[in-house]
Amino acid sequence: MAGDGGSGQDAFLDALRAALPDDALLIHEEDLHPYECDGLSVLKALPLAVALPHNREQVQAVLKVCEQFGIGVVPRGAGTGLSGGARPNAGAIVLSLARLKQMLAVDTRNRTAQVQPGMRNLAISEAVRPLGLYYAPDPSSQIACTIGGNVAENSGGVHCLKYGLTVHNVLALEVLDASGELLHIGSQAPDSPGYDLLALMMGSEGLLGVVTECTLRLLPIPENTLVILAAFPSVGAAADAVSAIIAAGIIPAGLEMMDQLAIAAAEDFVHAGYPRDAAAILLCELDGSEAELQVRLHAVENLLEQHGAGSIRIARDAETRLLLWKGRKAAFPAVGRLAPDYYCMDGTIPRKRLAEVLEQIAAWSAEYGLQVANVFHAGDGNLHPLILYDANIESQLQAAEAFGQGILELCVAVGGSITGEHGVGVEKLDSMCAQFTPAELAQLHRIKAAFDPEGRLNPGKAVPSLHRCAELGAMHVHHGQLPFPELERF
Amino acid sequence: MAGDGGSGQDAFLDALRAALPDDALLIHEEDLHPYECDGLSVLKALPLAVALPHNREQVQAVLKVCEQFGIGVVPRGAGTGLSGGARPNAGAIVLSLARLKQMLAVDTRNRTAQVQPGMRNLAISEAVRPLGLYYAPDPSSQIACTIGGNVAENSGGVHCLKYGLTVHNVLALEVLDASGELLHIGSQAPDSPGYDLLALMMGSEGLLGVVTECTLRLLPIPENTLVILAAFPSVGAAADAVSAIIAAGIIPAGLEMMDQLAIAAAEDFVHAGYPRDAAAILLCELDGSEAELQVRLHAVENLLEQHGAGSIRIARDAETRLLLWKGRKAAFPAVGRLAPDYYCMDGTIPRKRLAEVLEQIAAWSAEYGLQVANVFHAGDGNLHPLILYDANIESQLQAAEAFGQGILELCVAVGGSITGEHGVGVEKLDSMCAQFTPAELAQLHRIKAAFDPEGRLNPGKAVPSLHRCAELGAMHVHHGQLPFPELERF
């Protein structure tokens, strides 16, 4: 067991042991190590214990024991998150939902599926493929990440431009609050009375409740799909082409941009056939009936040419399409081979500010002496600049952090936000002080208190304390008193 | 001034008078009468006063004075709501946003508009029409209703099947909380960090804050539009055709159904050319490029014929299209001419349960001896049965209420909800006890308290008190104690 073996902790673990079957509780240090971090591996901590319940009743039992002893709970899906949202807290337990991984029901007429939170994103689409259906949001980690984790992060993916984020594809949730009280949120009907708690749960990073069941919207697999690969002589030209496609009223299934460094890295890694001499490429996926596809393909080709695309390649067969996407989906690990470390940013901006933000990033890259590869969801303005550095060189680590912080502040300044889909977790707590005013942060804490008055669900994540922002100088402190003293706890 | 002129009230009105220009405050009874109800005219009450501020600063001043004196505030747009959400409360003031009606900015590249809350829905589309843009949600009251009211009710309209509810078309809000504290919620970027307060505000019926500015998503006016009118020999056949269209992956811009009584009433009223001998008609609007339209029209026509459509008419020119929609949009007043009174329901159901719910409504119609006209958003399962009765005949009034309550409970039982777009207001408070468990209602009250701990914003609306549900027998009371005693206030 991690931490000091005080008698309060002993009593707590005894109660947990009594509430769970033997195979559902890990307390020995060697068993806890696999849970010491999530995808943000630079931040590690050991939990007090890991609970691996088999069903909702056991999840409820865990929450009730934790309430009784005042112990924090860090919910966890697959642990693929990139912002440290599932990092354990010392003194808290990890509550893994990995064993609740069943598909409970599929309704082909209403096109919905009821699934448990630990089911993998890709496994859902695979399970309903024989019915001609699929689940649209497809984060790059979809082979591993769970639908419960997707809800916690409001995950997107390359297809969210057309098909929406997780919030647009989940119809209802079964949630346990911090006390283990069961709430049914949302419905299969188009709108629900009462406050919209469903959207509130999306992206709440495990701070408001523990999801034990999800009702998902499924979509029919498109009749036809094609992917267009266009090469551009400059990043600005590619950005303008993106604006022109959207302005023409065309919503591609996916619209992704990669710059020269990202192209070269991906090409070396997966040999997708990307043009190495291009300053930027666009990958544009269209789907629909064959007749509709022809119309839109023609329109997109014209727009790409008008905006200076030097070469245009069209992939219709599944094999070539998957290969083109493989380069994009593998871009992060591909770039990872270029330098000992990289810092992956996840800011969003209004689409029209794309060209100027990219120019500023290029200028900072020269200034800091750190290379940047840009890989991003161009269609909806979600940037993923990857800053390359060597963590063993102290000055580079500092420069990368300053550079990254600058990018996020720029995103906020042009009307965007500090995270598109990776969440705040522990990584971006400080950036939240730039994103929100004290009054707005206080409102977020009051929402938290409405679900979890003792602050025991995923403590210290997602929303920074007012003290933290004050210490960063991002908040005004009057006579040593913070505003909103009733929220001191958070 | 309404109510007793106690000295506390005098002091309050003096403070309000000091905070506002002369033309921004109504306190004489004859001036208050126009505000005594909204579109649900059976419930009337006089407010203490009506504030008509000219700008955000004055709205803020009103909220601060009301906080100081502990006075309730009923925010009001155009007062077209159908569930009594803007009905004044005795002892509270009405805060009209009608004078904040400017369009502040239009961004054609990002396709967004910043508007004040009192701007009329249709005026927004009219203002940006020269730019080739429009605002998609179009409730039947769009000529009069305001965008602030649309936010409060999360309004839909005949085009929400394809283009979404208000929640899908608002990007950001500027909101004042109960203390007049300013919050910026949402952004022009695709996702926001922090909890999703934007969706939370949508449909919150003025209980969580006062909207002072909205950033809206605009859409390009579709290149081409056509409306298909199809006549069916039975309501069931029309319902099956709706399912088949959606199942084919076609999302019409609008897909509306009317039954025989509604057809006859609308035809007598606007002479739209509806087939009087049909048991049901479908109105199906398609939009897009000409080439795409041809493909989809062909597919829809085939599906309609396969499902027994007896006659199919296609309107391409704007005049005929508008005439076909005019019959649908005027269906409520048209049906209103058939009987002294009608009771308009607004339940939602999963689309696949349509046929059986309509059968049950027909059976109850015979049982209660009350005619029912059905007019509804078939594509998304939002029903509007209109129960005809004579309020002067006591037994009919009671029968209509029991019938209506039965319909709403049926909606909940088949997995739907008690309101699709008209809101809860005061009308459906009791139905909320059927929709939610005590734990779920308590959670809604905790959300309310997170924004408005004193319960002064639109008191007594939208979410019933736990006592009210207990008295209805919908909640278990243990030893005279309600669950969640900390929420006694609400």
Side-chain angles (χ1 to χ4, degrees), chain A residues 100-141:
Chain A
L100 282 79
K101 59 180 177 186
Q102 300 300 309
M103 178 165 281
L104 304 171
V106 180
D107 178 339
T108 52
R109 275 187 72 187
N110 260 351
R111 287 211 202 103
T112 59
Q114 271 170 278
V115 304
Q116 291 186 315
M119 190 162 183
R120 288 179 303 111
N121 175 298
L122 190 60
I124 297 167
S125 288
E126 283 171 350
V128 297
R129 187 182 297 150
L131 304 169
L133 300 172
Y134 77 113
Y135 174 69
D138 57 346
S140 295
S141 58

Side-chain angles (χ1 to χ4, degrees), chain B residues 143-164:
Chain B
I143 194 168
C145 65
T146 65
I147 187 70
N150 292 177
V151 168
E153 303 297 330
N154 192 18
S155 303
V158 298
H159 291 98
C160 72
L161 175 60
K162 181 167 181 178
Y163 296 109

Side-chain angles (χ1 to χ4, degrees), chain A residues 22-45:
Chain A
D22 285 352
D23 68 343
L25 186 64
L26 307 178
I27 57 165
H28 299 296
E29 191 173 328
E30 66 273 22
D31 295 330
L32 303 179
H33 277 292
Y35 297 89
E36 68 189 356
C37 68
D38 60 8
L40 183 75
S41 57
V42 295
L43 293 162
K44 294 178 184 171

Side-chain angles (χ1 to χ4, degrees), chain B residues 2-16:
Chain B
D4 78 290
S7 67
Q9 280 187 8
D10 286 346
F12 166 67
L13 290 175
D14 286 346
L16 214 48

Side-chain angles (χ1 to χ4, degrees), chain B residues 102-106 114-116 212-213:
Chain B
Q102 302 299 310
M103 179 166 282
L104 303 171
V106 180
Q114 271 171 279
V115 305
Q116 290 186 315
T212 52
E213 201 180 299

Side-chain angles (χ1 to χ4, degrees), chain A residues 165-177:
Chain A
L165 301 166
T166 303
V167 67
H168 304 109
N169 291 278
V170 174
L171 299 170
L173 293 175
E174 188 189 271
V175 173
L176 299 174
D177 73 10

